[in-house]
Amino acid sequence: MLFLTRTLPFLFCFVFGVTSWIIYYVPHEYAQTIEREFALWLRLVFAFAYVLGLVSLLSLHWAKIRQRQAGWAYSLIVYISFGVMMLFVVYNDGNGPFAPQETTGPYQWTFINVHVASSATMFSLLAFFISSAAYRTFRARTPEAAILLVSAIIVMLGRVPIGAYISDVIPEAMQWLMSVPNMAAKRGILLGVSLGAIATSLRIIFGIERSYLGGGDD
Amino acid sequence: MERLINIDRRIIFVFVFLGVAIPLLVDIHLPIKPTPTVRSVYDEIERISIEDPDRPVLVSFSYGASTVPEMVPMTRAILRHLFSRGRKVVGICLWPEAVGIAQPIMDELAAEFGMKYGTDYAFLGYKPGQHAVVLNLGQSVAGTFPFDTAGTAIGDLPVLDGAKNLKDFSLVFDFAAGDSMEFWWIPFGQEKHRFPFAGGCTAVMAPDLYPFLQSKQLVGLLGGLAGAAEYETIIGVPGSATAGMEPQSVTHLIIILFILLGNTVYFITRRRGGTV
C-alpha cells in the first residue's frame, strides 16, 4: 500500500517534473511531441477539476440545506440557479443539448442580465469599501508612509483626466512612478516569487517536500 | 475631532455615490491624453496593418463577468481598430465565462465593419487548461481548437489559412482580468515562440506588468478603464470608457480629499497629544 500511496505518486511527480522541465528548452521533434501530449493531459486534468469543483459546490450546499444551517436559503438559491441555467443550456434556444451553444435565447439573456450584472455590481462595491478604508488607514505616520501617500495621490490623479486638467506635470510624474520605482519593485518581487517557485518545485520534484502526498512527513 | 476620526462610513459611501452619479448626469468635459504604453498598442496595430496585412491577429479573452465594466470597453476599442483596418481576427477564450461575453461583441463589431464570419474573423471558444492551452497553441492551432463554437472544422475557416501555430499570427492580444499575461502567455507563449504580444488588463493588475513592457515582451498595455478611454481617444470613437472617465476622475478626487482630511485630523490630534 505504501508503494501506491507514496512511492508511485512520487515517481510520477519526479518523471513528469524532470521531463517537462527539460523538454521546455528542447526544440527537437520528439521533445515537442512529448510536450504536446503532456499539455493535453494537463488540459484533461483541468477539465476534470471543473467536475470536481461542481460536485464539491453542490455537496457543500446540499449539506447546508439538509442540516438547515445558518443561511441555508442561500444554498437553496444556488441549487435553483444551477438548475435553471442547466435547463436553459439543455434547451439551447430550441436547438437541444447536442447543437453548438447559441448566443441568443434565455441562457444568454440570463447570463448577461443576471450573472454579469450581479458579478459586476459586487466587484464595483469595492470602490466604496476602499474609499472608507483609505480614509481610516492611509496615514503619513512615518516618512516611508508619507512617500507612499504622495505617490498614491500622484498616481490616482495621473491615471484619470482630471490630473492633466490640473497640471501636465501630474501624468508625467505618474508615468515616471509607474515606469521606474514601481517597475523596479515589481521586478524584484517577481524575481523573488519566481526563485521561490523554482525552489519549491525542485523540492517537490526531488521528493524533499512531500506534504502534497498527505499523511505527514513520514 | 473625535467625530471626524470616527466618521460614519455611510457618509463616505454617499460622497462616492454622488461622485459617480453627478458626473454621469452633468457633462463635465475633461481632455484625455493617451499614455505611451497605450499609444504603443495603437502603433503596433497600425504597423502590422501596413507591413504584415495578410496574417491574422489572435485575440484571447481571459476575463469573466465581474470585470465586464472594465474589460468590455477596451475589447470594443481594440476590435474596432482591428476591424477598421481590415485585419483578420481569431478569437479564443482562456476563461470559461468569456465566451458569452466576447462572442456577441465580436459578432456585433464585425457586422458593423462588414466582416464575414469564417473569411475575416472566427471565434473558437473556450478550452480548459490555462497555460497548457498556450503550450498547445504554440505547436498547433488546429490541434488545440479543432472546431469553432458553431462546430465548423478549423480547416474550413479561410481566416486561419496559413495560421498553423502562434508564430503565424501577426499579433497576439490578451484581455486579462487575472494573471494570464505574466504566467500563461509570456512564459509559455511569447518567450518560447517570440511573436508580437500586447495586452489589456484591469487597472489593479497594470503595475505588475510594467517589467514586461521594459523587456519588450509586451509591446504595449491598456490598463483598466483609463487605458480603454485613452484608446478610444486615439481611434477617435468615444465610448463607455470615455464616458466613465468623468465619474472616475471625480471619485478619485473625493477619495484623495478624504485621505487628506484623514491625515489633517490625524496630525491635529497628534499635536494635541491624543491618539488616533
Side-chain angles (χ1 to χ4, degrees):
Chain A
M1 278 307 285
L2 199 64
F3 176 77
L4 286 176
T5 56
R6 309 288 286 180
T7 314
L8 192 62
F10 164 68
L11 281 174
F12 268 119
C13 182
F14 178 77
V15 171
F16 282 95
V18 171
T19 315
S20 302
W21 180 19
I22 293 167
I23 59 174
Y24 181 88
Y25 300 100
V26 181
H28 192 275
E29 190 189 332
Y30 290 154
Q32 294 299 299
T33 306
I34 295 169
E35 187 187 76
R36 185 175 65 241
E37 291 305 315
F38 277 13
L40 274 171
W41 295 352
L42 195 57
R43 284 167 52 199
L44 281 172
V45 172
F46 269 97
F48 275 102
Y50 284 126
V51 179
L52 196 68
L54 180 66
V55 171
S56 169
L57 177 86
L58 293 179
S59 308
L60 179 88
H61 287 284
W62 178 245
K64 280 191 173 182
I65 295 168
R66 207 180 48 201
Q67 293 161 11
R68 294 286 192 275
Q69 288 179 12
W72 67 272
Y74 297 114
S75 300
L76 195 62
I77 292 170
V78 170
Y79 264 85
I80 293 167
S81 308
F82 176 74
V84 168
M85 289 304 265
M86 270 303 285
L87 277 177
F88 289 160
V89 167
V90 171
Y91 174 65
N92 192 16
D93 206 16
N95 295 314
F98 302 110
Q101 205 51 226
E102 288 293 323
T103 52
T104 52
Y107 173 77
Q108 183 68 9
W109 189 91
T110 317
F111 178 75
I112 296 291
N113 295 292
V114 179
H115 179 63
V116 170
S118 50
S119 297
T121 305
M122 288 297 289
F123 196 57
S124 307
L125 286 176
L126 271 178
F128 292 91
F129 295 112
I130 285 173
S131 309
S132 174
Y135 173 73
R136 285 168 217 289
T137 58
F138 216 165
R139 300 272 193 265
R141 293 176 203 273
T142 61
E144 291 87 350
I147 292 169
L148 191 67
L149 184 72
V150 172
S151 305
I153 289 173
I154 292 169
V155 172
M156 281 180 75
L157 283 175
R159 282 301 295 158
V160 287
I162 207 162
Y165 186 75
I166 296 166
S167 166
D168 282 339
V169 177
I170 294 174
E172 284 172 22
M174 180 278 296
Q175 196 63 33
W176 181 84
L177 281 168
M178 296 291 277
S179 306
V180 183
N182 163 71
M183 196 206 64
K186 287 291 177 188
R187 177 160 289 161
I189 292 167
L190 202 61
L191 283 170
V193 169
S194 302
L195 287 171
I198 291 167
T200 308
S201 302
L202 288 174
R203 283 174 62 85
I204 292 170
I205 287 169
F206 291 107
I208 300 163
E209 168 65 55
R210 295 185 180 201
S211 57
Y212 72 95
L213 293 169
D217 290 333
D218 54 339
Chain B
M1 283 298 150
E2 192 72 19
R3 286 176 68 185
L4 268 176
I5 290 165
N6 299 316
I7 191 169
D8 189 336
R9 66 178 181 171
R10 285 172 296 187
I11 294 171
I12 300 172
F13 292 171
V14 168
F15 273 96
V16 173
F17 172 75
L18 293 174
V20 174
I22 293 171
L24 284 174
L25 301 170
V26 183
D27 186 35
I28 316 161
H29 180 70
L30 293 167
I32 296 166
K33 291 187 179 173
T35 49
T37 54
V38 175
R39 174 72 67 181
S40 303
V41 177
Y42 177 84
D43 291 343
E44 182 64 15
I45 293 176
E46 289 291 299
R47 185 191 68 76
I48 58 165
S49 299
I50 296 162
E51 295 175 12
D52 195 5
D54 297 326
R55 293 194 299 158
V57 173
L58 182 71
V59 178
S60 160
F61 302 96
S62 315
Y63 62 87
S66 62
T67 49
V68 158
E70 226 177 341
M71 300 304 295
V72 163
M74 70 173 70
T75 304
R76 300 182 81 90
I78 292 289
L79 288 177
R80 189 179 290 278
H81 186 200
L82 289 169
F83 286 138
S84 72
R85 294 292 181 266
R87 300 301 319 205
K88 292 175 179 174
V89 180
V90 177
I92 60 166
C93 299
L94 298 183
W95 278 33
E97 283 184 327
V99 180
I101 301 162
Q103 191 167 8
I105 298 170
M106 256 188 113
D107 288 339
E108 180 204 322
L109 288 168
E112 192 181 318
F113 289 94
M115 308 299 270
K116 199 175 161 211
Y117 188 83
T119 312
D120 301 316
Y121 79 103
F123 190 77
L124 309 185
Y126 168 73
K127 291 284 177 215
Q130 304 175 347
H131 64 279
V133 178
V134 177
L135 267 174
N136 278 157
L137 280 171
Q139 291 195 26
S140 167
V141 176
T144 315
F145 287 88
F147 303 97
D148 69 358
T149 47
T152 311
I154 291 300
D156 296 333
L157 296 169
V159 66
L160 277 153
D161 283 350
K164 289 186 170 38
N165 55 45
L166 287 175
K167 275 194 277 193
D168 295 325
F169 290 94
S170 56
L171 174 72
V172 176
F173 195 99
D174 185 36
F175 293 102
D179 52 12
S180 59
M181 267 194 258
E182 70 262 50
F183 292 127
W184 306 352
W185 277 108
I186 291 174
F188 296 102
Q190 200 278 335
E191 191 54 33
K192 207 168 157 61
H193 302 290
R194 307 280 172 170
F195 48 80
F197 179 60
C201 64
T202 53
V204 72
M205 280 174 53
D208 291 349
L209 296 164
Y210 270 71
F212 302 105
L213 285 166
Q214 199 216 19
S215 63
K216 310 285 183 206
Q217 287 164 305
L218 260 178
V219 175
L221 180 71
L222 273 69
L225 200 66
E230 289 169 25
Y231 210 85
E232 286 176 353
T233 306
I234 299 173
I235 62 171
V237 185
S240 56
T242 305
M245 277 303 94
E246 287 149 14
Q248 197 165 326
S249 288
V250 175
T251 311
H252 277 207
L253 204 60
I254 288 170
I255 295 172
I256 288 166
L257 290 173
F258 268 111
I259 291 171
L260 293 176
L261 176 70
N263 276 277
T264 309
V265 174
Y266 166 72
F267 281 112
I268 291 171
T269 312
R270 204 169 70 165
R271 188 169 290 175
R272 287 177 183 172
T275 52
V276 183

